[in-house]
Amino acid sequence: AYLVDYDEVFYATNAGWGWRVFELANEGDTPSIAVDSKNSVHVAYGTTYATNSSGVWKRLSLDEGSNSSIALDPSDNVHIAYYHYQHDTDTNSLKYVTNESGNWRYETIAEFDNLFIPRTSIAVDSKDSSHISCTYKYSYPSDDVGDELVYFTNSSGSWKGMAVDSGNIRNGQEIAIGPGDSVHMIYNWRDGRLKYAINDGDEWYSFVISSANEGESSYRNSYYPAIAVDSHGCTHISFY
């Protein structure tokens, strides 16, 4: 799934014969995609959820919000994290919604004043616990610098959060689950550093894996990072 001209959401697949492209929305937000065990596709953009699990594309507006991410648990239930702004109270919040019980259940993970969450990422482990990463931006809308990278999980039965890193962190970050439900994260700094973090269950440990070369624009280095962890525990990372 991808975005064209900042608001048109498209889905492309080569399942079958050749590549086929479908327009999901002519007004949308950056999409997030997941594929279930039956090869049905699930897409979240803004707070709209779309799926072709019935054989045709159906869409459902879940809430008012943006910057969503989607993941599926081992039973193909849907889990979505997103940013929500409440105009009447001027409150910013990180929210979560799932259809795990058969109906859509909404939870507010955290609420903040004077703060913007430009991007979320969500992953679900083998025990159906959700793991969410997001950047906190205190300077919105002056630039794309996020001041803090934060991690939340409900693995204990309630939502708990901890800081992963802080400083001139860009919006780009992504979370993934590895063997043994290990949690991995990739994210970028404004100075061009690409950093990888892993959680040992109690703390986060981060490592620089790429830096901007001398004379190279740090703004473009390590942009749009993505991460996946295979069954052997090997980490695979792509970035622009």
Side-chain angles (χ1 to χ4, degrees), residues 29-30 66-68 83 115-120 134-137 140 144-146 169-173:
D29 196 5
T30 302
S66 60
N67 308 330
S68 60
Y83 163 75
L115 183 142
F116 175 66
I117 300 173
R119 188 163 298 173
T120 66
C134 66
T135 46
Y136 288 172
K137 185 197 293 288
Y140 179 77
D144 69 343
V145 177
I169 300 171
R170 285 196 188 131
N171 299 342
Q173 46 77 26

Side-chain angles (χ1 to χ4, degrees), residues 148-169:
E148 194 167 17
L149 178 65
V150 183
Y151 162 73
F152 291 92
T153 181
N154 60 0
S155 58
S156 66
S158 60
W159 289 104
K160 294 183 179 179
M162 67 174 72
V164 178
D165 205 345
S166 61
N168 285 342
I169 300 171

Side-chain angles (χ1 to χ4, degrees), residues 162 198-205:
M162 67 174 72
I198 185 169
N199 184 272
D200 67 355
D202 296 313
E203 295 184 52
W204 283 93
Y205 298 91

Side-chain angles (χ1 to χ4, degrees), residues 99-121:
N99 64 355
E100 188 176 21
S101 65
N103 297 309
W104 290 101
R105 185 182 79 248
Y106 296 80
E107 298 178 16
T108 298
I109 299 173
E111 291 185 337
F112 313 93
D113 295 324
N114 303 317
L115 183 142
F116 175 66
I117 300 173
R119 188 163 298 173
T120 66
S121 181

Side-chain angles (χ1 to χ4, degrees), residues 63-81:
D63 197 357
E64 293 184 3
S66 60
N67 308 330
S68 60
S69 55
I70 191 170
L72 305 177
D73 63 30
S75 300
D76 291 337
N77 298 308
V78 177
H79 304 256
I80 297 173

